[in-house]
Amino acid sequence: MAFASFEMKLVLGNLLSNWNMELANIQPVQPSQKGALLSSGDGVKMLIKAKREKNLK
């Protein structure tokens, strides 16, 4: 389980650093309480717009 969590973080970090994304829906997200934490009730849908250009200097 720890390895799966680590792998998920790597994939998410890769997506966030290499792709431009935007919200699929501009309506406010309704939070839901799960124990002591708040999360989005139905998830947050995103659209991948374009690959980011890398600035090599």
Side-chain angles (χ1 to χ4, degrees):
M1 190 162 150
F3 178 72
S5 178
F6 176 72
E7 192 173 34
M8 179 182 63
K9 290 175 186 177
L10 286 176
V11 170
L12 184 59
N14 187 31
L15 282 174
L16 293 175
S17 65
N18 292 324
W19 296 90
N20 290 326
M21 296 187 295
E22 67 180 36
L23 291 171
N25 192 349
I26 59 172
Q27 295 178 352
V29 175
Q30 297 299 321
S32 66
Q33 189 169 359
K34 295 182 180 177
L37 303 173
L38 289 177
S39 68
S40 61
D42 296 328
V44 178
K45 293 179 178 35
M46 303 288 293
L47 297 172
I48 297 174
K49 299 306 282 184
K51 188 160 181 142
R52 289 186 183 177
E53 294 182 22
K54 293 188 179 187
N55 295 330
L56 300 175
K57 289 186 179 183

